[in-house]
């Protein structure tokens, strides 16, 4: 418990000291213009995983975004992940063993993520230091998350959503807002 709090405090400190690898660009983008997307999610239960997996599929099928990467973090230090995560092949699953002491993910786990994204989405209720590191190390036009005390310095578009709402509700609200931004009229 104490070690976990120490890790989080040190992780936030290191995250604040880490310079962004690229200059921060903010460009509000309409959902119809998104070509590439990065979905970051924190898994606390199987329901969280199911909601995030549903959102990953929705980004590809309903929104027509073909280049969707996803990284989910589960805060366990076990070599063996829960059974519902064992056969995952398309999504990068990180646990505590895949990070250093203060939470930065190992380079080999995220090597294929270092590219430019139009949109980064983090619908999770709680912060996860490894996901915040990934968010800071990637280049993106728009970064979206829930509005919370931890999210303000790391994201561009924050949605005020109650704590008890799921990732599915977040997806509906985000779609609504992203479709209104810079809407092109014919």
């Amino acid at each position: 418990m104490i070690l976990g709090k120490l890790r989080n405090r040190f992780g936030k400190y290191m995250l604040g000291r880490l310079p962004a690898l690229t200059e921060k660009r903010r460009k509000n983008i309409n959902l119809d213009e998104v070509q590439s997307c990065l979905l970051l999610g924190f898994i606390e239960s199987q329901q969280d995983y199911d909601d995030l997996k549903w959102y990953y599929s929705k980004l590809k099928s309903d929104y027509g975004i073909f280049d969707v990467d996803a990284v989910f973090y589960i805060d366990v230090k076990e070599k063996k992940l829960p059974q519902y995560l064992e056969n995952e092949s398309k999504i990068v699953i990180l646990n505590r063993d895949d990070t250093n002491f203060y939470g930065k993910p190992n380079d080999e786990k995220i090597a294929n993520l270092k590219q430019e994204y139009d949109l980064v989405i983090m619908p999770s209720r709680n912060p996860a230091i490894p996901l915040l590191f990934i968010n800071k190390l990637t280049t993106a036009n728009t970064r979206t998350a829930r509005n919370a005390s931890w999210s303000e310095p790391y994201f561009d578009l924050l949605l005020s959503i109650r704590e008890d709402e799921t990732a599915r509700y977040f997806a509906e609200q985000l779609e609504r807002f992203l479709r209104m931004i810079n809407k092109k009229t014919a």
Side-chain angles (χ1 to χ4, degrees):
M1 181 76 162
I2 293 172
L3 187 59
K5 288 181 181 180
L6 180 63
R7 280 177 51 132
N8 278 343
R9 292 184 96 184
F10 190 57
K12 287 178 185 175
Y13 171 76
M14 294 302 289
L15 190 60
R17 293 187 45 94
L18 179 71
L21 295 181
T22 59
E23 74 178 58
K24 188 167 185 172
R25 307 174 310 171
R26 287 186 181 173
K27 177 185 172 193
N28 293 332
I29 190 165
N30 188 294
L31 190 58
D32 297 330
E33 300 168 352
V34 174
Q35 299 294 316
S36 61
C37 180
L38 175 61
L39 178 64
L40 301 172
F42 182 53
I43 300 172
E44 295 180 88
S45 66
Q46 184 168 358
Q47 180 63 45
D48 289 338
Y49 172 72
D50 292 340
D51 287 347
L52 290 167
K53 182 80 173 190
W54 168 84
Y55 198 14
Y56 174 77
S57 298
K58 185 174 182 70
L59 289 168
K60 287 183 152 257
S61 62
D62 293 357
Y63 301 153
I65 305 170
F66 296 109
D67 186 16
V68 179
D69 291 330
V71 179
F72 299 163
Y73 177 73
I74 184 165
D75 193 17
V76 295
K77 188 180 170 64
E78 301 170 356
K79 293 284 183 194
K80 187 170 179 164
L81 292 173
Q83 186 175 7
Y84 59 90
L85 295 174
E86 285 180 357
N87 295 325
E88 189 55 62
S89 60
K90 297 177 186 175
I91 296 170
V92 177
I93 305 291
L94 297 175
N95 64 13
R96 243 185 282 156
D97 288 336
D98 300 322
T99 63
N100 64 13
F101 175 75
Y102 53 88
K104 184 178 178 191
N106 300 335
D107 290 335
E108 65 269 359
K109 285 294 264 193
I110 60 169
N112 62 340
L113 298 177
K114 294 185 180 172
Q115 63 172 326
E116 186 173 319
Y117 294 99
D118 291 327
L119 182 64
V120 173
I121 302 172
M122 188 167 167
S124 300
R125 292 181 286 278
N126 297 322
I129 300 295
L131 299 178
L132 294 178
F133 269 107
I134 293 169
N135 178 51
K136 193 159 185 178
L137 293 171
T138 57
T139 303
N141 291 329
T142 303
R143 300 166 194 274
T144 62
R146 291 176 184 246
N147 190 13
S149 60
W150 59 266
S151 59
E152 190 170 325
Y154 307 108
F155 296 92
D156 305 320
L157 177 63
L158 301 173
L159 300 181
S160 292
I161 295 178
R162 291 191 331 252
E163 275 292 313
D164 59 336
E165 294 293 349
T166 63
R168 291 178 191 237
Y169 181 77
F170 176 86
E172 293 167 6
Q173 297 306 308
L174 184 61
E175 177 183 5
R176 188 174 132 227
F177 283 105
L178 289 180
R179 291 219 187 268
M180 289 190 298
I181 293 176
N182 298 331
K183 187 161 185 148
K184 298 201 174 129
T185 56

